[in-house]
Amino acid sequence: VQLQASGGGLVQPGGSLRLLCSASGSIFLIRDMAWYRQAPGKQRELVAVITSGRTTNYADSVKGRFTISRDNAKRTGNLQMNGLEPEDTAVYYCSLGTSYSGIYSPSYWGQGTLVTVSS
């Protein structure tokens, strides 16, 4: 499985970005998908998860601002980020994995895409 993340860039506070994760392989259809981020000097954190059944979960810090979605026909996933704040600055990674009892475990990773929120 190969995952390719794109869509990062420089945006002003309050702005929006839409990240794209493109996947190869049919395993995409039966795996949950998630976005993580890692800010400089910090640990990687889980941002949002969408299950194969399209159930979604979000980190408290992004609830109401970020929306995760997936298109199984295109084998792609998106992270729509609105109301961006400087604290959202990080490298964002997409992953495929599985969830048990509401806990997501990644199995595959894409390369990161840098999001910088700054005026």
Side-chain angles (χ1 to χ4, degrees):
V1 175
Q2 289 189 327
L3 301 174
Q4 176 105 17
S6 61
L10 174 63
V11 63
Q12 292 187 341
S16 298
L17 280 176
R18 186 174 178 85
L19 303 184
L20 173 70
C21 180
S22 300
S24 65
S26 58
I27 197 171
F28 178 87
L29 306 178
I30 58 172
R31 287 290 185 263
D32 302 339
M33 196 196 79
W35 288 92
Y36 285 76
R37 68 185 180 186
Q38 188 166 18
K42 295 188 177 181
Q43 289 189 333
R44 190 173 297 190
E45 65 171 344
L46 181 62
V47 175
V49 178
I50 183 166
T51 68
S52 57
R54 289 187 166 79
T55 299
T56 58
N57 282 292
Y58 298 91
D60 288 343
S61 58
V62 306
K63 279 181 182 176
R65 300 188 297 123
F66 290 11
T67 302
I68 189 171
S69 61
R70 63 189 294 162
D71 185 331
N72 284 348
K74 295 181 180 179
R75 296 178 187 175
T76 58
N78 290 103
L79 185 67
Q80 177 67 43
M81 305 185 294
N82 299 327
L84 284 162
E85 304 167 351
E87 293 74 24
D88 296 315
T89 294
V91 177
Y92 285 71
Y93 300 88
C94 61
S95 73
L96 291 181
T98 52
S99 299
Y100 294 101
S101 300
I103 298 174
Y104 176 80
S105 296
S107 299
Y108 306 97
W109 290 96
Q111 94 293 356
T113 185
L114 177 63
V115 172
T116 303
V117 185
S118 176
S119 55

